[in-house]
Amino acid sequence: MDLQEMLDQAATGTAHVEGGWGQGRATYGGLVGALAYAGLRAQLTTDPRPPLRSLTVNFVAPVAPGEAEVDATVLRAGSSATQGLVLMRQEDKPVAAVLAAFGAARESAIRVGPTAVMPTLPEPMTIDPFPYLAGMTPDFFQHVEMRLADGGFPMSGATTSHMTGWMRFREAPPTFDERHMIALADSWPPAVLQMVSKPTNGSSLTWTLELVDDVSAEPDTHWAYSVTTDAATDGYAHTDARIWHPDGRLVAISRQTVSIFG
């Protein structure tokens, strides 16, 4: 199955996690979040469906290739705000817990423009993407394209802990909406991994993605990305990222707590 087929399957309540999307011993977190969200999205019956405002993913256990139960529940559907919960299970054991908040637009006198400005980046095609090397880089690198403009490469012994660049899918999906943004937004390696000089594993413990503008776009759009590390100690790092449409609109804020092994 390709990405779109997996998303469509997850909407039935049973997801198929295709092989080749691995990140160490676990399935890539962006795909896990997107499959869970697809299951919940299918439960929303209001027309139009309220926009997704926030998605929080707790990675409980490694998700393996194969079947996964996507148990999605709409906790409350109010006149403006809707809250949902997804428990993803494999072999009757929880592997991910996801909370989502949706919110229809409402009248408000308050308007504050984004304070984060899209960085000035070289044109995407002038930067070589992270390579996919079977057995050496994460398997899911064969599906996503990341072009690093500033910061260090993983395991390069850098003194920096930030990254900026461009990202998109290597094979564009037929459309691009909230599901695809979730699947793409988690693709960058933990920013602190550039600070080590030997192979070291890192994985997301929790991840929150906040959508602040419409993410509908052409499927092959290059999205600008910037991440900084707020703090790192005791084997955990806390990162804060921004995602922009190439027209300069801030569309998403991504926050993570990352476990660092070694």
Side-chain angles (χ1 to χ4, degrees):
M1 286 186 175
D2 62 18
L3 173 61
Q4 190 61 51
E5 290 170 330
M6 284 190 284
L7 293 172
D8 293 342
Q9 176 68 28
T12 69
T14 301
H16 176 79
V17 182
E18 190 69 28
W21 285 82
Q23 185 176 16
R25 65 192 184 99
T27 296
Y28 160 56
L31 178 61
V32 173
L35 295 178
Y37 172 72
L40 178 61
R41 185 176 186 263
Q43 300 296 316
L44 302 182
T45 58
T46 56
D47 187 20
R49 181 175 52 249
L52 176 67
R53 302 290 177 176
S54 177
L55 186 84
T56 300
V57 185
N58 279 48
F59 299 99
V60 179
V63 176
E67 302 302 302
E69 178 187 355
V70 181
D71 184 7
T73 303
V74 176
L75 299 175
R76 182 178 183 273
S79 58
S80 297
T82 296
Q83 302 269 0
L85 169 68
V86 185
L87 287 177
M88 183 178 288
R89 297 183 178 89
Q90 287 188 317
E91 297 181 353
D92 294 325
K93 296 179 180 179
V95 291
V98 178
L99 281 170
F102 303 82
R106 65 179 82 193
E107 290 188 14
S108 175
I110 298 174
R111 181 171 294 274
V112 179
T115 57
V117 177
M118 178 176 159
T120 300
L121 299 172
E123 288 297 314
M125 301 308 290
T126 67
I127 308 171
D128 290 333
F130 282 4
Y132 166 61
L133 303 172
M136 297 180 64
T137 59
D139 288 346
F140 80 91
F141 274 25
Q142 64 189 297
H143 302 292
V144 298
E145 181 184 282
M146 294 159 288
R147 299 175 184 268
L148 181 67
D150 189 33
F153 289 97
M155 277 75 80
S156 64
T159 58
T160 52
S161 61
H162 70 275
M163 290 177 167
T164 61
W166 298 98
M167 62 181 177
R168 68 174 179 176
F169 290 109
R170 291 184 185 269
E171 181 179 346
T175 60
F176 195 100
D177 56 37
E178 297 164 342
R179 299 168 296 171
H180 305 89
M181 176 54 76
I182 296 167
L184 182 64
D186 187 40
S187 57
W188 289 79
V192 292
L193 285 186
Q194 65 189 277
M195 303 182 74
V196 299
S197 55
K198 61 181 181 180
T200 303
N201 292 326
S203 64
S204 298
L205 185 65
T206 63
W207 174 40
T208 298
L209 183 68
E210 303 168 10
L211 300 187
V212 299
D213 204 338
D214 184 14
V215 298
S216 301
E218 292 298 319
D220 62 348
T221 295
H222 282 98
W223 299 89
Y225 179 87
S226 177
V227 60
T228 58
T229 302
D230 291 328
T233 187
D234 296 331
Y236 297 92
H238 305 271
T239 63
D240 186 38
R242 302 291 185 271
I243 300 169
W244 293 266
H245 187 277
D247 65 9
R249 287 183 298 113
L250 178 70
V251 297
I253 300 169
S254 177
R255 312 177 198 272
Q256 286 187 309
T257 299
V258 181
S259 301
I260 305 297
F261 303 93

